[in-house]
Amino acid sequence: MNAAAETTKGQSEDIRPLSAGQFIAAPTPGERARLRGARCRACGETFFPPRRYCAACTSGEMEDIELPSSGSVESFTIVHQQLPGSAMIPPYAIVNVRLGAGPVVQTVLREGHEMLELDDDVALVVETVLNEDSHSYVAFIARRLAGGSKEEGK
Amino acid sequence: MRDVVVLGAGLHRFGRFPDKSLPDLGREAIENALDDSGVPFKDIEVAYVGRVLAGMGAGLSVVSEMGRTGIPVINIEMACGSSTSAFREAYLSVATGVYDTALVVGFEKMQRGLIQIADQKSYQTVMGLAVMPASYALQARRYMADHGATAEMFGQVSVKSHRNGALNPYAQYQTAVTLDDVMNSRSIADPVTLLQCSPTTDGAAAVVICAASKAAQYKSGRLAHVAGWATGSGKYEPTGDSAEGEADTGEIGRLVAMAWERAGLGPEDVDVTQVHDAFAPGEIFSIEGLGLVPVGEGAQAVWDGRTEIDGDIPVNTDGGLLSRGHPIGATGCAMVTEIVRQLTGEAGPRQVKGGDAHVGLIQNAGIGGMNILVLTS
Ligand SMILES: [Zn+2]
């Protein structure tokens, strides 16, 4: 991929995950996030991000799993203060999203944060969060599912 | 294990002291603790130092201000819980008979603004997740929905803390505030407002401990004894935990049970408590985790005034982290200092139970880790 090539949107075609190893397949902005989690073969506990040893039972028998790309908002807070070095411009929400029976993941929700409520269903979506040195850095963010209704599947 | 007493404690006032160095702050706290204890520095056999942001060997540069007696000076770091970790190590060194007298010191000088808990280039920072009050705010919002609490109940913690701080000449903030002041202050991470955040602070605190069998040569009268302790690093609770933040109520409950077992006491025996209120909701989560009130009733207990100095479960009588200030490495020793004053009847206008306070409980947390201490007199 040519790192210097720019799209019409001003984004680089060189797309890199902001956090290496977070995705199970190459992330594409705008699409559902396919997150790489880990499941303990010994006790069944699941983790995000993946880890080499189980935090619950210390087993090293871990396997990669693909996590659900949607979940419910366990809690959230609206951040009003700019964090130095952050690409997120307040106000935005930090959300803890419970992925079914799997782990709770934390991310941000930008659009429509003022309508957010506890237990809302949200999708995890790939988005460009930072353009730097002609690279586009992508991460997963949460997006409200319309009307808080249940999603219709992938 | 031998019986160990706290012979003396003292602070350098908490606040902003741009013209003072760490040795300036630390020396004054050590002088105050030594004066209170009756122990000359030449009798101190070991020093344990809680500090976080200072550079290499900072503990030695502070302790050696008092003289170069050649004693071991041990630097300890566990974020905001550093100096209760130092206290615990000092306690174990005396209780096991290695030393008879030990000095515990905590100090910090801090920048203004939100504490930077992750590197500027880190994922957590770029994504805007490394916002210190956020973990408390996330827990607070869920708590409000689950237990019918209001944002004002969290705000009331700060009103109480500032009222207590106004009675403490060593506190960073010594001015009372109203609930309107708290609720109308700038929102940081909703529902946590600015006046529900502990400030960044410069300060130092020191404690002198001694084998009880050696105490009489230095001091007589009512002394505080170390009755129980517990330390942990945030045990993983399978499913159902939040993804971020300091140890939750489950961890507090796990540790305080260990401390009660060591002390042979229980939550019903507590006269006065210090908890880690880095942000106002912390007091409510902590008193529940410690078993002082049932889970879900902490917010109402604060609202009803039960954690006030004249309440039945007085908490953070010196203003807590919110008002006394939070120089992270010094906070634990300041907590010990206030409990010692309360248990020896020397807390002045902040004194609980008319001076008849005999069991003090301390909970000091630092990103993931936590220390519980039980002192008795
Ligand atoms: Zn396991």
Side-chain angles (χ1 to χ4, degrees), chain A residues 40-45 47 54-59 62:
Chain A
C40 173
R41 288 197 179 100
C43 75
E45 192 70 10
F47 298 94
C54 177
C57 79
T58 75
S59 168
M62 306 292 283

Side-chain angles (χ1 to χ4, degrees), chain B residues 220-274:
Chain B
S220 58
R222 201 167 151 191
L223 296 176
H225 295 246
V226 183
W229 60 274
T231 297
S233 58
K235 185 179 182 183
Y236 183 82
E237 300 285 348
T239 61
D241 274 21
S242 56
E244 273 292 304
E246 300 181 345
D248 64 10
T249 43
E251 179 72 353
I252 302 183
R254 182 178 79 87
L255 293 176
V256 78
M258 293 167 65
W260 289 136
E261 187 170 335
R262 289 191 169 107
L265 296 166
E268 66 282 0
D269 298 312
V270 176
D271 292 309
V272 60
T273 303
Q274 281 275 321

Side-chain angles (χ1 to χ4, degrees), chain A residues 49-136:
Chain A
R51 38 184 305 139
R52 290 288 297 275
Y53 294 92
C54 177
C57 79
T58 75
S59 168
E61 297 295 311
M62 306 292 283
E63 60 187 357
D64 277 2
I65 55 168
E66 181 172 350
L67 295 173
S69 65
S70 64
S72 69
V73 174
E74 185 166 89
S75 195
F76 68 94
T77 176
I78 310 298
V79 177
H80 293 275
Q81 174 141 335
Q82 178 69 50
L83 183 68
S86 174
M88 298 300 150
I89 309 300
Y92 61 91
I94 295 176
V95 289
N96 285 352
V97 182
R98 178 168 294 285
L99 302 179
V104 173
V105 301
Q106 189 172 72
T107 187
V108 295
L109 184 147
R110 295 197 271 193
E111 288 168 32
H113 64 79
E114 55 286 318
M115 291 177 287
L116 194 58
E117 292 186 31
L118 292 176
D119 305 318
D120 273 358
D121 289 325
V122 293
L124 302 180
V125 177
V126 178
E127 191 168 280
T128 301
V129 294
L130 186 66
N131 287 295
E132 197 173 80
D133 302 331
S134 75
H135 306 305
S136 286

